[in-house]
Amino acid sequence: ALNEGGVQSIPRLAVPGGLLTGCAAGFMNVAKLKGTHNAIKSGILAAETTFKAIRDNPDGANSLLINDYENAIKSSSIWKDMFAVRNIKPAFHTSSGLYGGIV
């Protein structure tokens, strides 16, 4: 199964004690069927923001929720890539059908 919801169905990415990355977060570009690049990039961003949170707060207080991860995703190539094709899937479900999705 492919997680092809697109930018409209991305859930909250940071939860207490965890971050959603890759296919779990739905970072697949439906138009290009490109998910591996986005999965790797989201993992890198998760590691970087986690490292920054630990470095900036070594005693561990308030480090269960890393809100900077969502901001990092939205300012990355992942968001730009997915935002550009955000309406491709809904276009197939119009009165134009397959033609509407292809154009």
Side-chain angles (χ1 to χ4, degrees), residues 3 19-20 26 29 41 49-51 61 65 75 80 82 90 95 100-101:
N3 298 339
L19 300 173
L20 291 177
N29 182 334
K41 181 67 177 173
T49 54
T50 301
F51 178 78
L65 186 59
S75 63
K80 292 174 194 159
M82 293 187 61
S95 60

Side-chain angles (χ1 to χ4, degrees), residues 65-85:
L65 186 59
I66 303 173
N67 290 319
D68 291 341
Y69 176 61
E70 290 191 29
N71 296 331
I73 290 291
K74 289 182 179 178
S75 63
S76 73
S77 60
I78 296 171
W79 196 261
K80 292 174 194 159
D81 185 40
M82 293 187 61
F83 192 79
V85 295

Side-chain angles (χ1 to χ4, degrees), residues 27-46:
F27 292 142
M28 186 178 128
N29 182 334
V30 177
K32 296 181 182 177
L33 291 177
K34 182 174 92 173
T36 306
H37 300 88
N38 292 343
I40 292 170
K41 181 67 177 173
S42 68
I44 291 169
L45 291 171

